[in-house]
Amino acid sequence: MENIGKNSLPQNGESTGKCPFVHGGSTSPDTSPLKWWPKRLNLDILHQHDEKTNPYSKEFNYRDEVKKVDFKALEKDMHDLMTTPQSWWPADWGHYGGLMIRMAWHAAGTYRVADGRGGAGTGNLRFAPLNSWPDNGNLDKARRLLWPIKKKYGNKISWADLFILAGNTAYESMGLKTFGFSYGRPDTWQPEIDIYWGPEDEIMAPSENRYADLDDPSTLETPLGATHMGLIYVNPEGVNGKPDPMKTALQVRETFARMAMNDEETAALTAGGHTVGKAHGNGDASKLGKEPEGANIEDQGFGWINPTLNEKGVVTSGLEGAWTTNPTKWDNGYFEMLFNHDWELQKSPAGAWQWEPVNISDKDKPIDAADPAKRNNPIMTDADMAMKMDPIYKEICLKFKNDQEYFSDTFARAWFKLTHRDMGPKTRYIGPSFPKEDLIWQDPIPTGNKNYNEEEVKSKISNLGLSISDRVSIAWDSAKSFRNSDLRGGANGARISLSPQKDWEANEPERLSKTLSVLKKLSSETGISLADTIILAGNLAIEEAASAAGYDLSIPFKKGRGDASQEMTDVKSFSNLEPAADAFRNWFSGKSKSSPEELMVDQSQLLGLTAPEMTVLIGGMRVLGANHTDDKTGVFSEKEGVLSNDFFVNLTDMNNKWTIVGENKYELRDRHSGDLKWTASSVDLVFGSNSILRAYAELYAQDDNKQKFVNDFADVWSKVVNADLF
């Protein structure tokens, strides 16, 4: 447990009690003009990482720049860094490997498979809250150690890539043959405000707020992946700081599963992460300086400043000691230490619970990190003891203990998965050292046929007898699974025809099956992929709907999608992509505590949409008749199937009056006659009630923007159906 990094009141020269407006600008979070309406729908997550925050020009493309790096030179510099101690932060045993591994791990380990958010892909460890979480104590030192390399290679290497490369290099310098590494993670320039880290108002608050039942780890609130706000996974001292390895084992299993790891991968990562390096708790944590985000201005973002630079002043986790006899060497020492000794609870100098051996020979003790003349007791966390006491983990670890090569390979693969899980398909990998092997968690997809005339195929589609609604619905359902967070899902692969997607309630399985059977037959006859056929059918439906509105529209089409097989599809993993709602088809399962409007914003953010794009897409989908089960809720038009701006025209018409008639059910009636005209959900009505969304709705309701609406809808449609083509 970390006992540092908690929020505190301003101090040491910070301004307190002064009017924030004397300078004319609202520069404090406490002065937001919208703070008075906390339940207002917050659209900010749709506009994070705006180009205005990015210091690079629009022409700059990091994924192109990184290919210009001298990879050998960079990796040599990184190797040299590991054993070049700096006086301002001395290296344990003269090697920064343990620190760099922890940095890489904690950058990547925030990934959660439930929503694909988190992970190392954006370099967000630089920003709050991550840079100031207790679990990330002193990782600011690791980043400062990397600064000379970042400064040297500049625009050709991102912080995000450097974080993971540092961890990989550290393991290699200690003797592990890693599985590989890919470059290509562009940095963001502000915190990721879309990520929900938990309901607590305080870092390291008791776990109960996160669970329906603390004794049942599966009740951890979705999509969270840690036992406390401020930790990556579990409390090293035990559940709520109370040692109990069997209870901790259950928590470890759940938190690692939430980042897509099975028991074997979990055991390998736990053991491999603690084979090298040490925990730091050899001092009084109360004497440490503030975390980076709370530190004084003169500290320059350097947090947790130690009163001394010797070992006695180093406090990070609160636990103190190394896990193995040789903490800078990749070996089987972790298992030898864990299973060859009995362990008892002790307190670290910082007052944290840790496990230490009952009896141990001096030669088996690790050398002191700062004084080679001393040897100290090794330690185990509660999670380490779980590897010994939980019968499943124990069996796996004993297998590792007896087969070093097997352990090393399992760990290397799990480490690669941990650090690359959010990068998307293998086609996005860059550099000389990524593995060529196809891995099921990469969601492999074969290359599709490009050698065909799309106009001829469209002609055949038009004669299939499928309605505009049928074609729009299947194309949308195929594409809507895409997550911009970890670049999974989408239309490529045609996984909508496979388990589990073909059976999702959101995809109308019965209707889907009928439409698929028609399109599969055409796909077989023409020799093009089902994935291409589905999107081409959807595009054609949009073009026909635009033509009915009097507009000549041609949606650009990208060929070459492939069809994945069931064997290429990890059913359990893909189950995490199942939606609880689809605002664009006006469907809500009722399985979420969030409002339909909030679910719409969340869905839009994962699709990579802005608020204007979300608005025009909703309006178009309604008039196309793409609602789930052909429901008429929100179809504010007498011309269903025509791509018109009727949704916005009628929504903003003050001759209409809305009344609530049930849960998430509203009626639109003529203000004068009282005649019922249409029904709506709260998602439909929010485009008239929310001031920002109403501004967009009014724009598209204008008489002079009818064609703009059609063109904008087509652009957003193309963006969604092509989002997974990299």
Side-chain angles (χ1 to χ4, degrees):
M1 182 184 72
E2 303 287 352
N3 42 18
I4 55 175
K6 296 199 176 183
N7 296 325
S8 61
L9 295 173
Q11 59 174 327
N12 295 348
E14 295 182 41
S15 175
T16 59
K18 297 180 180 179
C19 178
F21 293 107
V22 293
H23 51 279
S26 178
T27 56
S28 165
D30 293 334
T31 62
S32 166
L34 304 175
K35 71 174 184 176
W36 303 108
W37 302 278
K39 294 185 178 181
R40 170 185 172 275
L41 187 63
N42 191 346
L43 304 173
D44 290 351
I45 67 170
L46 302 180
H47 306 128
Q48 64 178 345
H49 313 314
D50 182 83
E51 64 181 36
K52 290 181 180 178
T53 69
N54 192 332
Y56 292 120
S57 68
K58 292 181 180 179
E59 290 72 34
F60 178 84
N61 186 312
Y62 172 68
R63 289 179 55 80
D64 290 335
E65 288 299 308
V66 74
K67 294 174 184 176
K68 303 173 185 177
V69 166
D70 184 335
F71 297 115
K72 287 186 177 179
L74 170 59
E75 290 167 21
K76 182 182 183 302
D77 285 346
M78 193 69 84
H79 271 276
D80 292 343
L81 172 76
M82 298 296 156
T83 52
T84 307
Q86 303 295 326
S87 60
W88 54 268
W89 193 255
D92 296 333
W93 307 284
H95 202 300
Y96 289 115
L99 179 64
M100 297 299 171
I101 288 165
R102 180 166 155 261
M103 177 182 62
W105 187 303
H106 285 215
T110 56
Y111 174 80
R112 58 274 186 110
V113 73
D115 61 359
R117 294 186 171 102
T122 62
N124 220 12
L125 191 62
R126 296 178 293 160
F127 306 123
L130 299 181
N131 72 341
S132 296
W133 270 6
D135 222 5
N136 295 331
N138 288 324
L139 290 183
D140 57 332
K141 317 305 189 293
R143 194 169 84 82
R144 297 296 175 94
L145 288 165
L146 286 176
W147 168 239
I149 292 179
K150 172 60 177 167
K151 184 174 182 292
K152 176 180 177 180
Y153 290 91
N155 300 333
K156 294 183 180 65
I157 189 69
S158 66
W159 279 111
D161 275 349
L162 272 181
F163 291 158
I164 305 305
L165 180 61
N168 249 43
T169 305
Y171 271 121
E172 289 172 349
S173 70
M174 294 178 174
L176 173 70
K177 185 181 186 306
T178 60
F179 191 61
F181 174 80
S182 171
Y183 295 86
R185 303 166 183 82
D187 287 330
T188 56
W189 295 92
Q190 61 180 159
E192 289 168 329
I193 61 174
D194 60 298
I195 301 179
Y196 170 66
W197 295 117
E200 304 91 346
D201 295 324
E202 182 182 0
I203 290 173
M204 292 300 296
S207 298
E208 282 79 359
N209 289 333
R210 303 190 151 219
Y211 297 84
D213 179 0
L214 189 57
D215 292 328
D216 181 3
S218 68
T219 65
L220 176 64
E221 183 182 354
T222 301
L224 303 179
T227 58
H228 300 264
M229 180 184 288
L231 295 186
I232 307 301
Y233 303 119
V234 300
N235 192 323
E237 294 187 79
V239 178
N240 275 340
K242 299 175 182 176
D244 187 334
M246 291 302 291
K247 281 189 175 181
T248 295
L250 299 176
Q251 299 286 357
V252 169
R253 181 166 287 113
E254 182 65 28
T255 60
F256 273 66
R258 291 181 176 224
M259 67 158 191
M261 299 294 173
N262 61 29
D263 282 338
E264 188 175 62
E265 291 166 327
T266 300
L269 286 169
T270 302
H274 293 169
T275 293
V276 297
K278 71 181 291 286
H280 297 83
N282 200 8
D284 184 355
S286 68
K287 296 181 180 180
L288 297 180
K290 292 291 183 182
E291 70 278 9
E293 217 59 23
N296 299 325
I297 196 168
E298 65 268 24
D299 294 336
Q300 293 290 279
F302 206 58
W304 302 287
I305 292 178
N306 290 278
T308 63
L309 283 179
N310 60 39
E311 189 193 3
K312 293 292 184 184
V314 180
V315 179
T316 298
S317 68
L319 283 72
E320 171 59 32
W323 291 266
T324 66
T325 307
N326 302 299
T328 61
K329 181 181 179 183
W330 179 262
D331 57 20
N332 247 24
Y334 175 88
F335 304 110
E336 299 291 335
M337 190 67 76
L338 182 64
F339 288 103
N340 292 351
H341 298 89
D342 295 322
W343 299 81
E344 61 182 359
L345 279 169
Q346 298 286 346
K347 282 288 187 80
S348 75
W353 284 115
Q354 60 188 40
W355 294 83
E356 296 185 27
V358 176
N359 291 296
I360 186 171
S361 65
D362 197 59
K363 67 178 179 61
D364 290 332
K365 295 179 179 180
I367 293 172
D368 187 87
D371 184 356
K374 291 173 55 183
R375 288 183 179 268
N376 304 314
N377 265 355
I379 61 111
M380 294 287 164
T381 70
D382 220 51
D384 295 309
M385 295 306 297
M387 297 298 114
K388 182 174 183 176
M389 298 179 70
D390 179 272
I392 297 172
Y393 287 140
K394 181 179 180 179
E395 182 180 355
I396 295 168
C397 287
L398 286 173
K399 188 176 180 181
F400 289 154
K401 180 176 182 288
N402 296 324
D403 191 339
Q404 165 74 11
E405 186 176 342
Y406 177 66
F407 165 57
S408 295
D409 181 67
T410 304
F411 173 82
R413 288 170 174 271
W415 174 258
F416 181 80
K417 181 180 178 180
L418 168 71
T419 54
H420 291 75
R421 191 68 174 85
D422 63 336
M423 283 196 70
K426 194 171 69 174
T427 54
R428 300 189 72 252
Y429 290 179
I430 294 171
S433 54
F434 63 83
K436 303 304 185 282
E437 180 181 338
D438 286 328
L439 306 165
I440 194 168
W441 59 262
Q442 296 171 327
D443 306 333
I445 300 169
T447 302
N449 177 24
K450 294 184 179 180
N451 188 26
Y452 62 89
N453 187 308
E454 67 183 82
E455 293 303 321
E456 290 181 4
V457 179
K458 286 165 71 174
S459 179
K460 294 179 184 293
I461 291 172
S462 65
N463 295 319
L464 293 175
L466 294 172
S467 69
I468 285 177
S469 177
D470 286 336
R471 287 176 280 155
V472 170
S473 296
I474 192 172
W476 173 259
D477 287 343
S478 185
K480 75 183 179 190
S481 61
F482 178 73
R483 303 194 305 197
N484 199 48
S485 52
D486 58 359
L487 309 181
R488 299 187 69 206
N492 196 9
R495 285 190 165 93
I496 195 170
S497 67
L498 306 172
S499 293
Q501 292 188 41
K502 67 181 181 63
D503 299 314
W504 288 350
E505 184 184 354
N507 293 342
E508 289 187 88
E510 187 174 344
R511 180 186 187 184
L512 172 64
S513 178
K514 293 177 181 177
T515 308
L516 274 174
S517 66
V518 175
L519 295 179
K520 279 181 177 179
K521 185 178 179 182
L522 179 63
S523 169
S524 179
E525 291 173 353
T526 57
I528 69 173
S529 69
L530 177 61
D532 266 2
T533 305
I534 290 171
I535 299 305
L536 201 53
N539 285 2
L540 178 61
I542 304 296
E543 292 170 357
E544 290 174 356
S547 179
Y551 301 102
D552 186 16
L553 183 67
S554 179
I555 299 177
F557 178 72
K558 295 182 180 180
K559 299 178 180 178
R561 295 170 183 80
D563 293 337
S565 67
Q566 194 65 65
E567 291 70 30
M568 297 174 179
T569 304
D570 185 342
V571 173
K572 183 178 180 181
S573 180
F574 266 99
S575 294
N576 289 288
L577 275 65
E578 182 175 4
D582 181 3
F584 298 93
R585 297 192 65 199
N586 229 342
W587 173 79
F588 310 96
S589 68
K591 297 177 181 178
S592 175
K593 296 178 182 178
S594 300
S595 71
E597 307 92 86
E598 292 169 332
L599 292 171
M600 173 183 66
V601 174
D602 181 73
Q603 180 184 13
S604 298
Q605 195 274 334
L606 286 173
L607 286 169
L609 302 178
T610 64
E613 290 172 333
M614 176 182 74
T615 302
V616 74
L617 195 53
I618 285 279
M621 292 289 282
R622 292 293 187 272
V623 297
L624 289 170
N627 278 356
H628 196 269
T629 63
D630 200 31
D631 185 75
K632 302 305 177 185
T633 303
V635 185
F636 308 152
S637 178
E638 303 291 349
K639 304 173 292 187
E640 185 179 321
V642 176
L643 191 56
S644 71
N645 66 341
D646 284 1
F647 176 88
F648 302 110
V649 170
N650 290 303
L651 180 68
T652 57
D653 188 346
M654 290 304 296
N655 290 312
N656 299 324
K657 182 180 179 180
W658 291 97
T659 53
I660 185 167
V661 294
E663 187 177 355
N664 196 29
K665 293 182 179 179
Y666 301 82
E667 289 181 349
L668 182 149
R669 293 180 179 272
D670 185 279
R671 190 178 292 274
H672 305 290
S673 70
D675 292 343
L676 177 64
K677 298 174 75 173
W678 292 291
T679 59
S681 70
S682 58
V683 159
D684 301 313
L685 295 192
V686 78
F687 290 92
S689 65
N690 180 279
S691 59
I692 297 173
L693 295 180
R694 187 175 184 91
Y696 297 134
E698 290 171 344
L699 173 79
Y700 286 116
Q702 292 173 192
D703 293 343
D704 62 349
N705 277 338
K706 292 180 179 180
Q707 182 152 10
K708 174 178 172 58
F709 162 75
V710 170
N711 293 341
D712 287 0
F713 177 85
D715 288 344
V716 182
W717 172 268
S718 291
K719 177 178 177 176
V720 173
V721 299
N722 294 319
D724 61 339
L725 299 180
F726 305 107

